[in-house]
Amino acid sequence: MTRRHRIGALAIAVSVAAGCEAIGAGRVTGQQVCDRPWELEETLRLGSPDGEDALTYVRDLATRPDGSIYLLQSWDPIRVFRSDGRPAGMIGRQGEGPGEWALPLRHAGWLGDTLWVSHRLGTQFLSADGEEIRRVSFRIRLPAEGSHLSPGRPLPDGTFLPSRSVNEDAGLFLKAGRAALRRVSASGEIVDTLAMVERHLGPYALEHETDRYGWGVMTSHPLGPWSGESWLPVAATPDGAAVVLIGKVREEGEDASFDLLQIRFDGDTLLHRTVPYKLRPITRAEASLQRERMADQLARGGSPWDTSNPERKRRIGRELITFPEHYPPVRRIVAGGDGSMWLLREAWPDPADIWEIYGEDGELEGSVRIEGPADHDDWDPRLRILRASRTEVWATTLGEFGVPYVHRYRVDRNCR
């Protein structure tokens, strides 16, 4: 069964194939699909081409215990909506004063009745009406990784999953086959390392040339898994109690598999499940298409002072990027608010996205199929999920002329 939602010129077909599995000792061994697929039913839509509810690019979403909806936008104030979707004002603004932020916000959430928001340099704690309660700001320099850490997502014990920024030595971080996901204190000290996160594409594409101010032009691999916490493909649970990540990937023909991990913020491993998958080769034509897109991206990019010849940068982009033999098995991770884990699989270049939903024990419970054009490029999600559970999904789309919308869906998981 398929339900279509049309937003201007954008049509999204949503269907879900639900299933239950026979689980071996630590390994998924098969799937039986239910007769009746799950359905996503839209129950709320926020946004419009103009007017009081018009939005800019929405980076994150946080729902208050009373049902109010807080939307983080790139440079604009936080938009607030009542639970029924009626606009309820804005809080904060760009600036340096209390309740203001000098950089685009990245993440948001609620700790009791306190709203926290994070950006590249710090984390601020606000009341529901936007009054600043406190601010945490520091910088931990990591010269060996070509980056530094600052406060990011607050955890229940008062520590943080840090935000990462790369510097002119970004290649030290982007080329590493593994990178550390750390926990830091509110005073700016590294508490421990939660996990060493695998980088499954090998060396990322980098341009080592510099502009006249000495800054390098850098870009990551277009097929790289989405970077969540600390520039790593890791998803934190909404309550900050654990993180979800992909461990070892084994490309062994018919026995290809990846490890699905959930690690509690104190370092205990809650889940380690091996999931089989089918290898998807990267064809020469697909690699050529992505190579040209990389060339165009570099030709358009760079700082305003970069006077490099665009055609020269385009040539560098074509020459730098390399591709593995197969697509990485997981493109994006969303940690559900109810303990579920949502994995966006390697569907490109098929005309659909496949989200697989796993339970707390690592068993595959269902899958969501999203049809329609990608958000930006082919490898980007067609439906960018911000929050998810077995009963409700919050996501964003772009309509005609790039108008952003936020949707709430009810998940129907019943089988006949």
Side-chain angles (χ1 to χ4, degrees), residues 205-209 216-219 298 308 312-313 316 320:
L206 292 170
E207 182 175 359
H208 296 287
E209 308 245 338
V217 180
M218 174 274 299
T219 186
L298 281 183
S308 301
R312 181 171 172 272
K313 291 198 295 182
I316 291 173
L320 277 175

Side-chain angles (χ1 to χ4, degrees), residues 67-279:
S68 300
I69 306 158
Y70 289 67
L71 302 181
L72 267 66
Q73 303 177 104
S74 292
W75 284 102
D76 295 331
I78 297 173
R79 293 296 307 271
V80 184
F81 293 84
R82 295 184 174 87
S83 58
D84 60 4
R86 288 181 296 162
M90 297 180 285
I91 62 174
R93 62 180 179 178
Q94 184 180 354
E96 302 285 349
E100 300 176 337
W101 34 85
L103 294 168
L105 300 179
R106 292 181 171 182
H107 298 294
W110 287 90
L111 290 174
D113 57 358
T114 300
L115 174 69
W116 63 265
V117 295
S118 68
H119 50 72
R120 187 165 57 87
L121 296 181
T123 300
Q124 294 166 237
F125 297 83
L126 312 172
S127 65
D129 59 3
E131 181 180 355
E132 185 171 314
I133 299 171
R134 71 183 179 110
R135 180 181 302 204
V136 179
S137 180
F138 56 75
R139 175 177 290 207
I140 303 174
R141 297 186 181 276
L142 301 173
E145 297 182 10
S147 58
H148 64 258
L149 304 180
S150 58
R153 182 182 299 270
L155 300 176
D157 67 346
T159 61
F160 292 80
L161 278 180
S163 170
R164 184 188 301 270
S165 297
V166 296
N167 57 25
E168 60 271 20
D169 294 320
L172 296 174
F173 172 72
L174 291 177
K175 282 188 172 182
R178 306 170 76 212
L181 176 67
R182 297 183 174 91
R183 190 163 58 105
V184 299
S185 70
S187 58
E189 299 172 341
I190 295 177
V191 176
D192 55 20
T193 297
L194 292 177
M196 293 301 296
V197 182
E198 302 285 344
R199 313 291 289 276
H200 302 300
L201 278 175
Y204 279 24
L206 292 170
E207 182 175 359
H208 296 287
E209 308 245 338
T210 59
D211 60 22
R212 61 177 176 151
Y213 289 91
W215 288 92
V217 180
M218 174 274 299
T219 186
S220 58
H221 200 291
L223 301 186
W226 169 71
S227 294
E229 304 293 340
S230 198
W231 264 42
L232 296 171
V234 172
T237 57
D239 61 4
V243 293
V244 180
L245 64 149
I246 303 301
K248 187 175 181 58
V249 174
R250 307 168 189 85
E251 294 189 355
E252 301 169 355
E254 295 297 324
D255 296 322
S257 64
F258 63 85
D259 289 345
L260 177 60
L261 301 170
Q262 186 170 135
I263 300 174
R264 202 164 60 190
F265 73 88
D266 61 6
D268 287 349
T269 299
L270 301 177
L271 172 71
H272 186 168
R273 173 74 69 174
T274 299
V275 180
Y277 76 100
K278 184 178 180 180
L279 293 174

